[in-house]
Structure formats: structure tokens, C-alpha cells
Amino acid sequence: MSATANTRPLTHQVTLTVLTLAVFALAMVVGFGIYAAAQADNASLERQKIFIDEGLKDQIASVQREQESVAVWDDAVANVRAGNWTWIEENLSVWMYTYYGHNRVYILDAANRPVHAMQEGKVVDASAYGDDKPALQPSIEKLRRMLAEPQKADASGQPAKMVAEDLVSLQGKPAILSVMALVPSTDRVTQAPGTEYLHVSVEFINDAVIGKIAKKYLLDGARLVPLSQSVGAAAVPLVDSRGIILGYVGWDQERPGLTLVRKMAPALALALLVAAGVLAFLLRRLRRASSALQTSQDEAQFLAFHDTLTGLPNRALFEDRLRRALLRTSQDMAVHEMGRVALLYLDLDRFKHINDTLGHPAGDELVRQTAARLQHTVREVDTVARLGGDEFALILVDIRDIRAAEDIAERLLQKLQEPFKLMEDQVFVSASIGIALSDGGETDADDLLRKADIALYEAKKNGRGRHQVFAGDMDDLLLRKRTVETELRKALDGGSGIRLAYQPVFAANGKTILGAEALIRWGHDVHGALRRRNSLPSPRSAA
């Protein structure tokens, strides 16, 4: 009896100690969980704000690109000067609403007087500009000052874009404003400085615009919050160039930390009632779930930047590596002489014939085998990417001169000339390669890719199964070709620009060959192709 009485206080002490330690541990876990959840929620909120900011910047840039498609255009300058209001309505105002969703467009003359106005897809009297003028005037004056100054160059050495943009409030609604001068796209139209007409385009920041941003970044409940309503933490202000808040973009905040706490609460409560073994079991399950989640994320990361058919880098990863290689090369050459970057644009010849004769599975297998041969032929430091279909691009680093790039291209062509085994058939294919080499200074990645594409076109044109190095005159040849296409299109559309002439041609045997029927058929084919092309939506459809 005495022994039992003496042992109970010890049992109580041990029990109390264990309970105290358990409560303390639980408090530590709960406290840390709440703190970690709050930190995770704050970090997630900051990322969501960055997403909204980037989405707004992308939308402003999109408005500028859409406006530039009609502002830099010979026909725009000519028709505005001539006062061709029907053409202006179809190409510069109503078309911008119908195709791009721009809510308001104003055309101003050299003295900033309105000569044309469009609101919500309807042409209105030019005097309607007066209601919006106070909000638009600062950006218009800014552009006029830019036009009066000597034209500057951007970071890539290209002429800087003449555009003035801002966020404005029209009738209490925030909107994206972009002002551009109507300028010629070629030297065929001249324009004296100071005589430029201005194209003023406005797109309201409404739920549709915000919805596109939210869809891109997977944000729920994104909406426009006016100044009259209160906003929570999940909101980004719309601020104009003067620092005035025009409204807010709000959304339903994603709370990963709080969600995790809610999911873990039953498990924590259960941990107080079950044995340590159950807790260990739950921890093991959690580790396995975390490992599976990490594996899934790694797979998703890989699929986001690699081609699913070949495992090669896709276009997104290729463009990132190309820009990094060019940047690294320009920095190294600034310190000491280093090699340059060569871009090879490769395309399989008559790939469609393989698909048509052997089927698409055989075409896919040909693409896979081609990718393997390309990877085995170049160095590990080089990049082989699949841009789509049968098109591949190779980034070669530390290339001393164009001869070295041509040697690699020759090895690639020889490797691809070896027979392929497809569907129990032996197939011989060839490829064409366009080569472009970076210069000694900063090189624009898009420009280098464009040059390689032009060189590939020349290789195809000159017989396929060969490589072609980009030369400076290829740009001029391409421009002349586009000029001829444009003139031919105008002649066909006019109905009287082409005349059929008969000229007999005598063959070696003395027989006369008549080319009239072939010329007529060719003319019909060209005219049909141009009509099909005209069916696509384009701002130049009325040209």
C-alpha cells in the first residue's frame, strides 16, 4: 500500500512531464506552422503581384504592337493625307476595334486637331475627341517632343520606337493609351518632319483584359476594383505616369500556407491520440508524397522546356540558350579575344513525302533518329533544339570563323546522308542548312535567327542537300522579292495591270512552241493564291 502510494506521485510526475513536453512540442509545432504558413502566404502574394504587373506590361506592349501594325505603313500615310475616310475607317479605326478590341481611336493632324474618331467600333464626330483630350494631351505632347528630337537608337542599335504610352482615366474607367505617328514603311513615301499625323489608340482595362492576364497566370477571381471600393492585400494599383492611382486589379488570394495548415490539422490532432508509430507512419507517408510531388514538378519542368518527341530543347529553351550564348560571347570578347556563336538552321528535304508514303509514325521515327544523329555529331557544349516539324536549330559556341561552322555543317550533312531504317524500310534523306555567324559586338538573337532562316531558304532554293552561309545581299534579294510580289498583287487586283502577249519560241528542231496557254494557267494560279491570301485577317486587306 505504501509502495503503491509512493509510486503514484512519480507516475504523475512522469505523466505530467511527458504531457508538458508533448504540449510544449505541440505548441512549438503549431506556432512554427502558423509562422511558416504566414510566410508562405506572403511570398505567394508577392509572386501574384509580380504576375499582375508583368501581365499589365505585356498588355501595354501588345497594344503597341497592334497599333504599330497599322501606324508604320505607306498606305496609312497616303490615305490619311488624301482624306480617304472609308479606308481609314476600315483599316485604322473600326478594324482596330473589331480585330484587336481597341475601344477608341483618334486620328490627329500635324497641329493635333482631330480629323477622325472611333468609339466602341462606331465612327463618331471628330469633336468627340474633346471629352478625352485633357487625359490624352500629355502623351500627345510627349510624342511631339520625341519627334522633334534626333532619333535615338535602342540597346540593339536599332532606331528607337516613337511611341508614347500611359495609363489614363476616361469617364472614370482606367485605360491603356498608346500614341504613335503614322510613318511610311518604305522609301517610296516621303514625309517631312513635323507633318506627321498621329494615331491615338485606347483600350479600357476591363474584366476581359484582366481575365486574359488571370488566365495566363492561373489567378482566380481577378477583377477591376474601382477607387470607390475597399481593397484587400491581393490588389495591385493602376498608376499613371504622374503617380495617380486610377483603380486596382484585385483577385482571390491564393494561400498555400493556410491551406497546408488546414490539411495538416486533422493529422496533428490525430497525433495526440495515437502512438508514436502512427506518427512515424504519417511522416513516412508525407516524405513519400513530397518526393512524388518533387518528381512530378521535375517532370513538368522538363516537359515545359523540351520536345516530347525527341527530348531535345524546344523553342523556348533554345531562344533562352541562344541569348545567353550571345551575351556571354559579347562579354568575353570585351575582355579578350574569344570565339563567336554560329547558328545553324536545319530542315529535312521533302519530309512531307516520307509522311505521305510511309505514314506519320515513320515520320516521327525519322525525326527521332535525326535528333540522335545531330546530338552525336556536335560537341556537348553545343545545343541541338527542335523548333517544330522537321526543323532543327544548332547553337555552336566558341567558333573561330565561318569555315569552322561550315566544316560542322558538312559533317552534319554527311551524317544525315547515311540510310535511315524506318518501318522495315531503308530510307535516304537529305537536309538543307542555313548558317549565320554572330559579329564581334552585341548580336540580337532574333536577327541571328532571321539570317539563318534566310540562308536556309537560299540553300533550299539552290538545290537542297547543301548548306548556305548568310550573306549581306540576301536581305536585299528578299526585299526585292517582296516588292515584286506587292506590285504583282496590285496589278492583278486592278484587273488591267497585266496584259497577255504572244511570242513564239522555236525549239532546236524548228518546231514552234506556244506559251500562251501556260501563261494564262500561271496567271490564274497566282491570282487564286493571292485571293486565298486576302481572305486572312490583316490590316492591309483594304490596300
Side-chain angles (χ1 to χ4, degrees), residues 50-249:
I50 292 174
F51 290 157
I52 293 295
D53 286 334
E54 292 298 322
L56 288 172
K57 292 178 182 178
D58 290 344
Q59 189 63 28
I60 294 173
S62 176
V63 170
Q64 292 179 4
R65 288 193 302 269
E66 294 161 359
Q67 185 183 32
E68 186 179 11
S69 67
V70 299
V72 183
W73 191 7
D74 288 350
D75 291 353
V77 175
N79 283 279
V80 169
R81 286 179 180 174
N84 189 346
W85 307 119
T86 301
W87 190 95
I88 292 171
E89 175 183 343
E90 293 177 353
N91 294 270
L92 300 184
S93 63
V94 175
W95 191 86
M96 298 294 290
Y97 173 82
T98 304
Y99 194 70
Y100 291 126
H102 293 205
N103 301 94
R104 297 185 182 184
V105 170
Y106 300 109
I107 307 294
L108 309 183
D109 63 11
N112 295 340
R113 293 187 299 265
V115 297
H116 181 81
M118 183 279 294
Q119 294 183 354
E120 303 299 336
K122 296 181 180 180
V123 176
V124 297
D125 191 85
S127 62
Y129 168 75
D131 296 335
D132 297 339
K133 180 178 179 181
L136 309 181
Q137 191 67 21
S139 297
I140 294 172
E141 293 176 352
K142 176 183 177 182
L143 180 61
R144 287 296 186 190
R145 290 193 297 269
M146 293 170 61
L147 294 172
E149 297 174 354
Q151 191 170 18
K152 300 178 182 178
D154 57 18
S156 62
Q158 300 295 323
K161 291 183 179 181
M162 291 295 185
V163 57
E165 79 282 344
D166 199 358
L167 296 181
V168 296
S169 178
L170 300 180
Q171 297 178 347
K173 297 183 292 184
I176 298 172
L177 167 65
S178 180
V179 185
M180 284 189 181
L182 297 177
V183 295
S185 55
T186 67
D187 295 335
R188 294 193 300 270
V189 177
T190 59
Q191 184 167 253
T195 64
E196 300 90 347
Y197 282 73
L198 300 185
H199 187 275
V200 182
S201 192
V202 175
E203 182 180 70
F204 286 114
I205 303 177
N206 50 28
D207 289 341
V209 173
I210 296 174
K212 290 192 295 184
I213 299 174
K215 182 178 180 181
K216 179 178 180 181
Y217 295 105
L218 304 179
L219 299 177
D220 295 329
R223 60 200 178 277
L224 178 65
V225 181
L227 293 174
S228 58
Q229 296 183 12
S230 60
V231 296
V236 170
L238 299 172
V239 185
D240 65 9
S241 58
R242 297 171 296 173
I244 299 176
I245 297 177
L246 309 178
Y248 294 88
V249 177

